[in-house]
Amino acid sequence: MARSERGPAERIESLRAEIRRHDHLYYVENEPEISDEHYDRVMRELRELEAAHPALVTADSPTQRVSERPLDGFAHVTHRVPMLSIDNTYSPAEVREFDARVRRVIDDQPLAYVVDPKIDGVAVSLRYEGGVLKLGATRGDGERGDDVTQNLRALRSVPLKLSGKDWPEALEVRGEVYWPRAAFERHNQQRAQAGEPPFANPRNATAGTLKQLDARLVATRGLAFCAHGFGVIEPFPKKVETHSGLIERFRAWGLPTSPHTRRFDDIDAVIAFVAEWDGRRRGLGYDTDGLVIKVDRLEQRERLGATSKSPRWCIAYKYAAEQAQTTLLSVTFQVGKLGTITPVANLDPVLLAGTTVRRATLHNFEQVRRLDLHVGDRVTIEKAGEIIPQVVAVDAAARNPRVEPVTPPQRCPECGAAVAQDEGGVYLRCTSEFCPAQWVERLRFFCGRDQMDIEGVGEAVVERLAAEGLVKSFADLFRLEPRREQIEKLTLATQEREEGGEIKRTAVTFGKKRTESLLRGIDAARARPLARLLAALGIRHVGSTTAELIADHFGAIDALVEADETALQAIEGVGPEVAKSVRSWFQSPRGRQIVDDLKAGGVNTTQPRKARPAVGSPLSGKTVVVTGTLARYSRKEIEDLIKGLGGKAAGSVSKKTDYVVVGAEAGSKADKARELGIRILDEDAFDELIGDHRKS
C-alpha cells in the first residue's frame, strides 16, 4: 500500500468497524448507543472517503450492502446439506412420544433439549467464506433454492463480515428472514397513502420481497434475519459439542440469534415451557406459529439421523389455530391445471392471527355439503398451520331461512364447458381440453422447477405469454425465438421503489436482457431428461418419483407410447391406477399430438441410462461417510465417486456405516467412528481400496 493511502485506509477501516458495531448493537442486541443522526453522519463520512479512494472499497464494506444494479433473474443453488422440513406435533402427549423415540436410540445417555420460537418467515441459508458473506439462498424445495445474495445483503441484521475470531473457513448459517410487525405495518401505511393495496400478511410479503430483482427496494422494507441452525461448517469448531454451544459462537461472530432460546434437561420442563410460551408469544414484535424442540448434543443428532424429509432429532410444537367468526358473502370457483374446480369463500373481512382475512378455501364440494353451507351464513374460520384460512364450522341456528344453499356449478366458470365428478372421488372437473384457466395452470406447472425447470419463466411471465397468444401449447415455448422482438416489448409488471419518502412506479417491459435470459432458459430446457418431461406433462397420478421410475424403465418416449398397462405395471412402484392413467394419456389424440409437437421442437425425449457400479466394486452396498477437507477431491467429487461405485454417501456416522473417509480437521465424525469401531480411511487408503475400479 502506498504511504499516501495509509491514513485514509486506517480511517476507513475504523469507520467500518464502528458501523458494524452499531449495526450489531441495534439489530442483534437491540441496545443502540447512538442516534440515527450520529449513525448517518458516520456512514456519510465513510461514503465520502471511499469515493475519494475507490481502490480501498471492498465488498464487505457497509456502503456496499445494496446493489445499484437490478438482477435479470435468480440462479439456482444446490444445498450441500439439504434444508429439511420439520415434523409437527400438537399436544404434550405427542411431545412425550417424540422424547420416547429419541431415548430408544440414544439409550441411557444424558439428554437435553433446546427450544426456540418458530418464527413465521422464510427459511434461508447464508454461506461465509473466510468470514465474509459469499452466498445467500432460499430453502426452495430443500435440495435447491434461489440465489438471493443481493437481497440478503440489503438486510442490516445480516453481517457482511463476521466479528470476533476463530470462525471456520466455510460456515453455512441457516435461519429465518421475517418482517417485524412494526415495520410491516409502517410499510402498509405507506402503501395505503400511495393508493396501493396493503400486503395481506408479513410471511407472504417477506417471500415476495426476497423475490424482488431490485435490492434497493428490499433495503427499504425493514426485513430481519435470525439464525437458528447450520449446514456445512469446515472445519468444525473444536470443543463445540452442542447446538447451544454453537449458537453462543454464532453470537460471538455477530450473527443474530433468538434471545428466547432455552435449554432444558428433561421433557417435563420442555412441556412446562410450551404451556408458558403460549401466553408470551403474542407479545413478540414478530409472528410465530409454535416452538421448535431440538436435541442439544450434536453427536446424538448424528445417531438419530433423518428421514428423507425431516430430522429425527427435532420436532415443531404447533399451537391450536386461532379462530374467528364472520359472514359468508359469496362463493367463487377456481379452475386448476387438471380442471379441478375448487370453491372459495368470499368473506366479510375479519382479523385473524394478525392479518385481515377476506377469502378462505372450502377444499371441495363434499366439504360444502358436509358444512351445509348457505350464502349469508355466519361461519367460523381458522388458519391451517396459521397460514391458509379455511372454513371449519357454520352457525346453522343463526341462518336466515331465505338464504340459498351453495351448489356446485353445472358448467365450468371459466370456459362454460360441462363438468363431471371423479368416479368414486370428491373432485369436480371441467371436461374441456381447451379451458384457458387450465391452460395457464398447466403451462405454469410445465415450466416449474421440479418439472422442466425453465429459467426466467415465472408466474407473471407465463400469464403474459398465454394472454398474448404467444404460447398456446407446450411446444410453442420452444418456437419463441422468431418472436423475440414481440417479447421484448411485452409489459411484465409495475416496479415500485421508494425515493425520498415517495413511491416511484415504472412499467417494466421484458427488454432485451430478460428476453435473452428467457430464450436461453427455454433452450436449456430442451435437453432435460425424459423423467423431467413426464413429470411436466400433468398426467394424473404421475409425480416426479413415478416419472423417474417410468423413464428409467423405458428409456425413450417412443417405447412408452406403445406400452400397454401390463408393461407399465411391470415397473415396481407403478400400480393399476397409474398404469391406466399413463396409458390413457399417451393413447389419446391430444397426448400423441403433444409428444409429436415437442419432438418437432427439438425437445429431448430420452432418459440417460444410469451407470452400473463396476463389477466387484469394494463399495457396492457399503455406506461411506466423508468428513474433513480432502486434498485431491471436492466433497461432491468423492460422493459422486462413491455412488458410482455402488456405495451410499451418508452424512452421519452410525452403526450401519462401513467406512469413514477423513481429511484435514475431520472433527467429531472421526471420533464417533473410532468409538463404534468403524474402519477409518485417509485419502491414500481410500484410493488403495477402490484401486482400478475408479477408472471403470
Side-chain angles (χ1 to χ4, degrees), residues 74-95:
F74 296 105
H76 295 331
V77 173
T78 299
H79 302 299
R80 277 182 58 185
V81 176
M83 296 180 70
L84 301 179
S85 58
I86 302 175
D87 284 337
N88 295 327
T89 186
Y90 299 92
S91 70
E94 290 174 331
V95 174

Side-chain angles (χ1 to χ4, degrees), residues 3 86 125 157 230 253 316 321 367-368 420 435 461 480 546 577 579 608 635 653 667 692:
R3 182 179 298 274
I86 302 175
S125 179
S157 54
F230 64 96
W253 295 331
Q367 172 74 351
V368 171
C435 177
V461 175
L480 286 175
T546 302
E577 192 172 13
R635 183 61 57 89
V653 179
D692 292 335

Side-chain angles (χ1 to χ4, degrees), residues 153-448:
R153 286 175 60 89
L155 274 59
R156 297 283 287 277
S157 54
V158 172
L160 301 182
K161 184 176 182 180
L162 298 178
S163 306
K165 58 182 181 179
D166 297 334
W167 15 261
E169 179 58 31
L171 171 66
E172 285 183 0
V173 179
R174 269 64 190 281
E176 210 79 10
V177 173
Y178 61 97
W179 204 331
R181 208 172 288 125
F184 176 75
E185 291 170 358
R186 187 163 54 248
H187 187 78
N188 263 349
Q189 288 173 1
Q190 293 171 352
R191 289 181 67 84
Q193 291 168 2
E196 296 287 330
F199 289 135
N201 60 70
R203 198 268 173 210
N204 290 350
T206 299
T209 298
L210 289 181
K211 294 295 287 182
Q212 293 289 327
L213 297 176
D214 192 340
R216 291 172 294 186
L217 180 66
V218 179
T220 68
R221 294 192 172 178
L223 304 188
F225 170 75
C226 182
H228 56 57
F230 64 96
V232 172
I233 301 182
E234 295 174 340
F236 202 87
K238 294 179 179 179
K239 299 182 180 179
V240 174
E241 299 178 344
T242 62
H243 174 86
S244 52
L246 187 59
I247 291 297
E248 287 181 11
R249 293 288 184 97
F250 281 5
R251 292 192 189 107
W253 295 331
L255 292 159
T257 61
S258 174
H260 305 289
T261 301
R262 298 290 183 271
R263 183 181 182 278
F264 300 101
D265 291 326
D266 62 76
I267 203 65
D268 291 331
V270 170
I271 291 171
F273 182 71
V274 165
E276 172 195 341
W277 186 254
D278 192 18
R280 294 174 52 192
R281 66 191 178 102
R282 293 175 178 82
L284 298 176
Y286 47 85
D287 292 343
T288 65
D289 55 1
L291 292 167
V292 180
I293 303 164
K294 314 171 189 177
V295 170
D296 192 25
R297 289 195 64 81
L298 302 180
E299 180 272 334
Q300 291 174 343
R301 290 185 181 187
E302 289 194 1
R303 290 179 60 187
L304 288 160
T307 67
S308 61
K309 294 183 178 180
S310 308
R312 294 190 178 95
W313 46 263
C314 71
I315 199 164
Y317 182 93
K318 293 292 196 74
Y319 292 100
E322 291 186 38
Q323 295 185 336
Q325 278 203 327
T326 187
T327 301
L328 176 67
L329 301 179
S330 64
V331 174
T332 51
F333 309 112
Q334 292 181 341
V335 183
K337 69 179 185 295
L338 295 179
T340 308
I341 301 173
T342 302
V344 177
N346 300 303
L347 308 165
D348 192 17
V350 62
L351 190 66
L352 176 64
T355 61
T356 299
V357 176
R358 293 176 172 82
R359 307 180 80 205
T361 180
L362 292 167
H363 301 294
N364 54 61
F365 291 101
E366 187 63 33
Q367 172 74 351
V368 171
R369 283 189 285 271
R370 194 160 42 243
L371 291 168
D372 186 27
L373 197 62
H374 289 56
V375 173
D377 276 346
R378 290 292 291 174
V379 297
T380 300
I381 61 170
E382 71 176 28
K383 287 190 176 181
E386 298 195 8
I387 297 174
I388 304 171
Q390 58 185 337
V391 177
V392 295
V394 174
D395 186 357
R399 176 180 297 151
N400 184 324
R402 292 189 296 274
V403 298
E404 294 293 325
V406 176
T407 57
Q410 299 302 304
R411 314 215 45 101
C412 173
E414 292 288 343
C415 70
V419 298
Q421 187 163 337
D422 287 353
E423 185 178 347
V426 298
Y427 293 108
L428 197 68
R429 298 181 192 274
C430 169
T431 57
S432 172
E433 295 180 1
F434 307 102
C435 177
Q438 287 186 57
W439 168 237
V440 170
E441 291 299 321
R442 286 201 301 269
L443 182 59
R444 184 179 295 156
F445 182 78
F446 182 88
C447 299

Side-chain angles (χ1 to χ4, degrees), residues 536-553:
L537 292 173
I539 304 170
R540 287 185 68 188
H541 309 305
V542 178
S544 57
T545 301
T546 302
E548 191 151 359
L549 291 174
I550 294 172
D552 285 341
H553 181 83

Side-chain angles (χ1 to χ4, degrees), residues 489-501:
K489 296 175 183 177
L490 290 179
T491 300
L492 178 61
T494 299
Q495 182 73 56
E496 65 174 44
R497 64 179 180 179
E498 188 173 357
E499 288 185 3

